[in-house]
């Protein structure tokens, strides 16, 4: 793995690395990564060009899910694709590129493979009284099995093939607990009740008559036990909470140490006091804004445009700061602290930078190999969802979902104040969803790969809304990779998400993005769309070089504006990059996340 030294501007190559060069100590980052470009390109661009059909999208297998994104279209003009010039430029300075963020460490354990579990390991829910024939409520038995595993310090809870009726939420509230079915085509949880029925109505902390179940909570809900209790107690008391790492009022934290100035991309920082820090600990980097909103300006790329933007009336956006970034400490030497991932932003004294405590996290937990199907009801009117929601990750770090289908849900897969999670081989199906995937409340460093949004099975009722893959609320460094979207859109829901990547995705762009005006800009800086195949030729947050500051649009199908036409939030030069417009099949590397990951392998 390549690692960057914050002080010496070098990278280090472990001796186990094969195929690039023999071990040779430290050389310059530019020289090494320049040489690595060709290796990474070979690793991730050897396949034929990507197609645009959905022919293989519905067979339910991993191969089928990926097939529609890896077709046999020609390589472009002249029949030969060229390695992107922008990619070569990025690879020479991957941690600090002005338009493309580094997401090579997104996901579980900084992008590691998901854990493998031995067949037959763990007790089945049948031992706790669950019936696999849909004849009785199995939720109490499943939750007893999960709680027992948690009390033992972790373990795998097996749900054998069958259909299990659940009249309650399935809650994973202890770390190192895995709930595993026999496969999404064999194990089904049939949910009969909504979150409104199970917990109560959930209003918006910003006022109005909206239902927060339109963007929160799940009928499978991964959240630390204490945090889940505090959230649901507040909802029942109608004291609408903040939902992230520092409590319902965002005041449940204490300072561990202050942090010296540092730069975007640094992995080693200097702190005032390391007595409360240790290797392996999970902490929050907390950056507050100042009265001139220079932190928000920095997130937007800085310069005349963000400086001229009027931030003070964007009350929803300003409620999202301080920016809170969960991160694991990998080493402590004197006053020097090494982090699992490079810094997402500069660290400046005017932002009162601190490492702080956070809610006791849920780590090392996952859900695998099952379908969650809600009782089929008509989709609710926009923002009035009852909460027939799928899988939610909240205050979760290094957690995952794998081979999960959700059907007939209001909202599919949610990341709410969640970081470093991987959603792999997931699928949203059935009667149509409001948010098939959503990422909000300061969720960072997540990886959503090999995902599918199926075409709805019934027409959309009047007054409903379809988004797609959503990101908002200062969420950063998330990657959506290898997707098939038979409906939906790229929903940047305002709240100025920044430094996110969507790559190698085929989309029938028939949804609409949302977002309250008080939530501020659609995009912050370093947002990248790379190899996006738009089957219906409709614009709308596909090509973003005219909207997102310091962004990159690479290999986007030719698109035409429709009735939802956006204008840039920032004035002047947006400092954007556009490459291979109209020829996604010619882009090399085809998958930006895979290519970035290959730089580290």
């Amino acid at each position: 793995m390549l690692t960057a030294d914050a002080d010496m501007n070098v990278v280090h190559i472990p001796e186990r690395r094969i195929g690039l060069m023999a071990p040779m100590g430290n050389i310059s980052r530019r020289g090494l990564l320049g040489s690595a470009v060709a290796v990474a390109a070979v690793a991730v661009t050897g396949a034929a060009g990507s197609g645009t059909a959905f022919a293989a999208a519905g067979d339910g297998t991993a191969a089928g899910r990926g097939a529609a994104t890896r077709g046999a279209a020609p390589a472009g003009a002249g029949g030969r694709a060229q390695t992107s010039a922008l990619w070569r430029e990025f690879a020479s300075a991957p941690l600090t590129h002005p338009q493309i963020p580094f997401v090579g460490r997104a996901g579980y354990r900084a992008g590691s493979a998901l854990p493998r579990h031995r067949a037959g390991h763990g007790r089945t829910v049948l031992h706790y009284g669950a019936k696999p024939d849909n004849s009785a409520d199995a939720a109490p038995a499943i939750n007893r099995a999960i709680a027992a595993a948690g009390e033992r310090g972790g373990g795998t809870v097996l749900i054998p093939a069958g259909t299990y009726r659940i009249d309650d939420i399935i809650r994973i509230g202890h770390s190192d607990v895995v709930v595993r079915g026999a496969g999404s085509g064999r194990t089904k949880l049939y949910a009969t009740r909504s979150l409104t029925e199970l917990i109560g109505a959930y209003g918006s902390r910003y006022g109005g008559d909206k239902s927060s179940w339109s963007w929160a909570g799940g009928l499978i809900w991964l959240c630390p036990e204490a945090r889940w209790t505090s959230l649901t107690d507040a909802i029942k008391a109608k004291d609408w909470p903040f939902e992230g790492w520092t409590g319902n009022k965002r005041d449940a934290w204490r300072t561990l140490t202050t942090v010296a100035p540092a730069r975007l991309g640094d992995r080693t920082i200097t702190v005032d006091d390391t007595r409360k820090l240790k290797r392996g600990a999970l902490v929050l980097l907390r950056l507050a804004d100042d009265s001139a909103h220079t932190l928000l300006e920095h997130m937007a790329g800085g310069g005349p445009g963000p400086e001229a933007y009027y931030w003070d009336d964007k009350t929803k956006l300003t409620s999202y700061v301080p920016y809170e970034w969960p991160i694991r400490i990998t080493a402590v030497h004197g006053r020097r602290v090494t982090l699992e991932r490079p810094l997402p932003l500069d660290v400046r004294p005017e932002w009162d930078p601190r490492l702080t405590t956070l809610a006791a996290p849920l780590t090392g937990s996952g859900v695998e190999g099952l379908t969650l199907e809600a009782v089929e009801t008509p989709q609710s009117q926009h923002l009035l969802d009852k909460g027939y929601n799928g899988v939610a990750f909240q205050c979760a770090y290094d957690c995952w979902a794998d081979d999960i289908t959700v059907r007939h849900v209001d909202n599919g897969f949610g990341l709410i104040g969640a970081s470093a999670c991987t959603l792999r081989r997931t699928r949203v199906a059935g009667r149509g969803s409001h948010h098939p995937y959503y990422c909000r409340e300061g969720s960072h460093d997540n990886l959503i790969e090999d995902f599918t949004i199926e075409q709805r099975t019934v027409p959309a009722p009047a007054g409903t809304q379809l988004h797609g893959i959503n990101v908002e609320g200062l969420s950063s460094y998330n990657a959506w990779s290898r997707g098939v979207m038979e409906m939906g859109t790229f929903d940047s829901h305002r709240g100025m998400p920044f430094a996110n990547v969507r790559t190698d995705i085929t989309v029938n762009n028939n949804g609409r993005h949302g977002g309250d005006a008080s939530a501020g800009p659609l995009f912050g800086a370093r947002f990248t769309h790379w190899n996006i195949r738009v089957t219906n030729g409709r614009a709308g947050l596909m090509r973003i070089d005219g909207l997102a500051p310091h962004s990159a649009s690479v290999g986007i199908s030719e698109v035409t504006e429709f009735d939802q036409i956006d204008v840039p939030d920032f004035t002047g030069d947006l400092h954007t990059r556009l490459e291979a417009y109209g020829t996604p099949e010619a882009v090399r590397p085809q998958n930006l996340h895979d290519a970035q990951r290959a730089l580290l392998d």
Side-chain angles (χ1 to χ4, degrees):
M1 179 176 294
L2 300 174
T3 58
D5 187 297
D7 296 321
M8 300 180 64
N9 196 35
V10 298
V11 290
H12 306 287
I13 314 174
E15 292 186 3
R16 64 179 173 82
R17 174 145 186 171
I18 299 173
L20 178 60
M21 58 185 71
M24 56 181 296
N26 298 336
I27 64 173
S28 73
R29 177 192 286 129
R30 181 174 294 274
L32 173 58
L33 289 179
S35 300
V37 172
V39 175
V42 168
V44 299
T45 67
S50 299
T52 59
F54 290 111
D59 67 1
T61 66
R65 288 173 182 161
T69 69
R70 293 187 292 274
R80 185 175 65 182
Q82 300 292 323
T83 299
S84 160
L86 191 52
W87 164 253
R88 291 195 297 268
E89 178 186 297
F90 167 82
S92 69
L95 303 184
T96 58
H97 193 275
Q99 280 87 22
I100 301 175
F102 177 73
V103 294
R105 290 180 180 270
Y108 170 83
R109 292 287 182 183
S112 299
L114 298 181
R116 294 182 178 179
H117 299 283
R118 296 190 302 273
H121 177 65
R123 298 195 70 186
T124 80
V125 297
L126 305 182
H127 293 106
Y128 292 84
K131 303 295 184 184
D133 58 4
N134 203 28
S135 63
D137 180 15
I142 295 172
N143 283 327
R144 283 196 300 271
I146 292 170
E151 290 164 4
R152 294 194 301 268
T156 302
V157 174
L158 301 177
I159 308 182
T163 297
Y164 301 79
R165 196 185 91 207
I166 57 170
D167 300 339
D168 202 350
I169 301 162
I170 302 304
R171 292 167 44 205
I172 302 175
H174 293 86
S175 293
D176 300 314
V177 172
V178 179
V179 173
R180 178 152 50 102
S184 59
R186 300 183 64 205
T187 295
K188 179 194 292 185
L189 305 184
Y190 181 70
T192 63
R193 303 174 71 190
S194 69
L195 294 172
T196 298
E197 295 172 277
L198 294 168
I199 296 174
Y202 185 5
S204 169
R205 65 179 184 250
Y206 300 104
D209 59 357
K210 302 171 184 176
S211 167
S212 285
W213 297 129
S214 299
W215 54 75
L219 293 169
I220 298 176
W221 200 334
L222 293 88
C223 181
E225 186 74 22
R227 189 73 185 97
W228 190 87
T229 299
S230 70
L231 283 164
T232 53
D233 284 351
I235 293 166
K236 292 171 183 176
K238 301 187 183 304
D239 186 13
W240 314 130
F242 283 88
E243 301 154 281
W245 286 101
T246 50
N248 296 345
K249 305 295 184 183
R250 295 198 73 181
D251 58 0
W253 58 273
R254 56 186 174 81
T255 299
L256 297 172
T257 185
T258 55
V259 182
R263 300 299 300 273
L264 165 74
D266 289 349
R267 277 194 62 208
T268 299
I269 58 175
T270 300
V271 302
D272 181 61
D273 185 353
T274 59
R275 287 176 295 176
K276 297 177 182 178
L277 307 178
K278 63 180 181 179
R279 182 177 182 271
L282 191 62
V283 298
L284 273 185
L285 172 66
R286 188 178 189 272
L287 301 176
D289 206 4
D290 58 13
S291 60
H293 299 297
T294 60
L295 176 61
L296 292 174
E297 291 174 1
H298 177 55
M299 292 174 177
E307 289 170 5
Y309 186 82
Y310 190 70
W311 303 94
D312 285 340
D313 64 348
K314 309 303 186 295
T315 53
K316 193 170 185 178
L317 173 65
T318 54
S319 77
Y320 297 151
V321 288
Y323 176 79
E324 295 171 335
W325 183 58
I327 188 63
R328 195 178 300 282
I329 293 172
T330 59
V332 178
H333 296 292
R335 292 173 54 210
R336 305 283 286 165
V337 177
T338 302
L339 307 175
E340 186 176 35
R341 291 176 172 85
L343 286 177
L345 295 162
D346 288 353
V347 172
R348 301 178 186 171
E350 55 265 38
W351 302 329
D352 189 23
R354 304 163 182 246
L355 296 183
T356 75
T357 59
L358 67 167
L362 184 74
T363 61
S365 292
V367 56
E368 305 175 345
L370 57 83
T371 288
L372 172 67
E373 181 175 317
V375 58
E376 187 170 358
T377 59
Q379 185 177 347
S380 295
Q381 298 290 289
H382 189 219
L383 301 178
L384 297 178
D385 294 348
K386 297 179 177 65
Y388 291 103
N389 294 348
V391 183
F393 292 79
Q394 189 158 10
C395 297
Y397 192 96
D398 282 341
C399 293
W400 70 90
D402 185 22
D403 184 26
I404 301 293
T405 294
V406 296
R407 183 174 289 116
H408 303 322
V409 293
D410 293 339
N411 300 281
F413 293 87
L415 297 159
I416 312 125
S419 292
C421 295
T422 293
L423 278 60
R424 175 175 174 263
R425 299 189 301 164
T426 56
R427 179 178 292 258
V428 180
R431 50 84 158 158
S433 301
H434 178 197
H435 294 99
Y437 291 82
Y438 61 94
C439 178
R440 53 177 293 270
E441 202 79 9
S443 292
H444 315 292
D445 303 306
N446 298 292
L447 173 62
I448 302 94
E449 63 179 353
D450 298 305
F451 66 93
T452 300
I453 302 173
E454 290 187 4
Q455 186 59 257
R456 63 190 314 138
T457 54
V458 297
T464 61
Q465 189 63 274
L466 166 65
H467 295 311
I469 53 175
N470 153 274
V471 61
E472 60 182 286
L474 302 183
S475 296
S476 62
Y477 293 87
N478 303 287
W480 290 261
S481 171
R482 292 193 303 273
V484 174
M485 298 173 60
E486 297 177 7
M487 64 177 191
T489 192
F490 290 180
D491 178 33
S492 179
H493 217 78
R494 298 200 175 270
M496 204 170 69
F498 67 94
N500 296 283
V501 166
R502 293 158 171 152
T503 183
D504 197 5
I505 298 170
T506 301
V507 53
N508 176 29
N509 186 28
N510 64 355
R512 303 176 73 89
H513 77 78
D516 192 305
S518 69
L522 279 166
F523 300 97
R526 298 187 309 285
F527 217 107
T528 299
H529 289 172
W530 186 289
N531 188 10
I532 307 300
R533 303 170 295 274
V534 187
T535 62
N536 62 347
R538 196 174 88 165
L541 304 193
M542 298 288 116
R543 174 181 168 178
I544 57 175
D545 57 295
L547 291 173
H550 299 270
S551 66
S553 298
V554 179
I556 313 298
S557 296
E558 187 171 344
V559 292
T560 303
E561 293 290 353
F562 68 114
D563 63 298
Q564 189 178 37
I565 300 175
D566 294 291
V567 297
D569 293 289
F570 303 106
T571 58
D573 188 352
L574 294 178
H575 302 283
T576 62
R577 305 288 291 274
L578 177 67
E579 185 178 82
Y581 177 57
T583 57
E585 66 276 3
V587 173
R588 297 295 184 273
Q590 291 180 303
N591 186 294
L592 180 61
H593 170 261
D594 288 351
Q596 290 192 13
R597 187 67 196 160
L599 288 176
L600 300 174
D601 288 343

